[in-house]
Amino acid sequence: MKLVAIFNRDGGTFKTTDMDAYCEHAQTVFSKAGHEIECRLVSGKDIVKEMERTADDKGLDGLIAGGGDGTISAAAGIAWKHKITLGVVPAGTMNLFARSLKLPLDIWQAVDTLAQGHVENVDIATANGQPFVHQFSAGLHARMVRYRDKMEYASRLGKMRANVRAALGVVLNPPVFDMEFTVDGKTQHRRVCAISASNNEFGPSPLLVADDITRGHLGLYIADALTPSGVAGLAIDIMRGKLKENAAVTAMAVTDAELHFPKRRHDVKCVIDGELLPMKRDVSLKMHAGELKVIVPKDFATA
């Protein structure tokens, strides 16, 4: 395969890595596996533009992207749009898509695994046309990310601590809002504190990761309006791997869904693959089954 590897030198693990040595290692292992590869180091602010420019190259078979969940999500959307193969090097804090792909979370091992891996077709989803490989969410998660982004942290550990502090803040001050959702032609109105759509259903991991991203459906999760104690109970159930068993949660597997938020507010946000973004009053969620080509471990197997 003809590949280009683009690494976010500002992302997570890469900040403390000898990137010249890392690129040399990547070129060596991919070349030995019979691939043609070029490595590029790019700043975080320029990486999406560089990936888009690279994806337009004629004769390119695949893009290897290294960075956090935001970088990987952007790379997946670009690879999907250009119908090329994506390779994931997990260099972020959570590395959620990499976990679903059963990739090693060590960046050196990940390169070795990708070089020896094979191409698999997996699912990708969209929210109003914007691709996501892990999750779209509004409510609790969006408020937590908003709280976290107001905090200062300079390391992976600092970000994890900020996540904990933000989560505690959300427990004490949970959002409540009205929404309508339409599935299979039927519309329901609910007063909720959270709505989430995942690329296939979450497994039992407290990190809320899909075990199998080839089943061709969205996991749709709606949590009723809750008091602080109710949110704390929900958090405990998530940590126990019992999200679907929480009495306030409605969970279903769907191929598409339409969301409508009746009350107009200018400051409403959603989270798409970890990135906090403005949210429209109407959101169309769609699954695109088997449309993303990714490099997976040679022993990759679905759950």
Side-chain angles (χ1 to χ4, degrees):
M1 295 177 69
K2 182 179 179 182
L3 304 166
V4 173
I6 300 178
F7 300 133
N8 181 355
R9 66 186 180 199
D10 300 325
T13 310
F14 287 150
K15 289 182 180 179
T16 55
T17 300
D18 182 339
M19 292 307 295
D20 290 333
Y22 186 75
C23 285
E24 183 178 348
H25 174 72
Q27 290 171 331
T28 298
V29 296
F30 273 97
S31 296
K32 285 184 177 180
H35 303 289
E36 178 185 342
I37 188 169
E38 175 189 350
C39 291
R40 301 174 189 168
L41 299 179
V42 183
S43 66
K45 65 182 180 64
D46 296 325
I47 195 164
V48 173
K49 184 184 298 183
E50 180 66 17
M51 290 190 298
E52 289 176 337
R53 186 184 70 80
T54 300
D56 285 328
D57 291 348
K58 292 182 179 180
L60 183 70
D61 296 309
L63 177 68
I64 307 296
D69 286 326
T71 296
I72 299 306
S73 179
I78 292 167
W80 175 55
K81 174 183 174 183
H82 287 82
K83 295 180 170 57
I84 59 176
T85 298
L86 172 68
V88 174
V89 176
T93 303
M94 306 303 291
N95 304 309
L96 299 168
F97 190 50
R99 293 175 189 270
S100 290
L101 295 176
K102 315 298 193 296
L103 289 167
L105 300 184
D106 177 88
I107 59 173
W108 298 85
Q109 293 177 17
V111 165
D112 297 343
T113 298
L114 291 173
Q116 298 295 328
H118 68 275
V119 177
E120 185 87 14
N121 292 328
V122 302
D123 304 335
I124 186 169
T126 55
N128 285 349
Q130 177 164 340
F132 63 93
V133 289
H134 177 241
Q135 178 183 216
F136 161 91
S137 61
L140 291 172
H141 188 203
R143 180 166 289 188
M144 189 193 81
V145 173
R146 189 175 67 185
Y147 284 174
R148 185 200 67 198
D149 287 354
K150 292 180 180 179
M151 302 175 190
E152 294 185 2
Y153 50 87
S155 66
R156 181 176 179 178
L157 182 59
K159 185 175 182 179
M160 294 173 69
R161 288 172 176 166
N163 274 327
V164 172
R165 290 169 57 197
L168 290 173
V170 172
V171 168
L172 296 174
N173 184 30
V176 176
F177 55 98
D178 292 313
M179 67 162 291
E180 295 172 0
F181 66 97
T182 302
V183 173
D184 295 331
K186 298 179 180 179
T187 300
Q188 295 186 46
H189 177 272
R190 299 279 284 276
R191 190 159 178 79
V192 304
C193 67
I195 167 73
S196 174
S198 58
N199 179 12
N200 286 274
E201 293 178 276
F202 293 136
S205 168
L207 294 178
L208 299 180
V209 175
D211 291 332
D212 186 345
I213 49 176
T214 65
R215 293 176 178 169
H217 55 241
L218 299 164
L220 188 64
Y221 304 90
I222 300 167
D224 294 335
L226 293 170
T227 62
S229 62
V231 176
L234 175 59
I236 291 171
D237 282 343
I238 290 173
M239 289 186 288
R240 294 170 57 232
K242 305 291 186 182
L243 169 65
K244 296 179 185 179
E245 297 176 24
N246 185 279
V249 173
T250 299
M252 62 192 82
V254 301
T255 55
D256 57 78
E258 301 294 327
L259 311 181
H260 175 66
F261 302 91
K263 294 185 178 179
R264 183 183 296 276
R265 289 180 56 187
H266 70 281
D267 61 341
V268 173
K269 303 287 185 180
C270 66
V271 175
I272 297 180
D273 285 349
E275 300 294 313
L276 190 65
L277 301 168
M279 186 175 71
K280 295 183 177 180
R281 292 178 67 192
D282 294 285
V283 179
S284 178
L285 301 167
K286 294 184 179 180
M287 170 56 69
H288 305 270
E291 293 190 13
L292 178 64
K293 296 187 293 184
V294 295
I295 303 175
V296 296
K298 58 185 178 181
D299 59 349
F300 178 81
T302 56

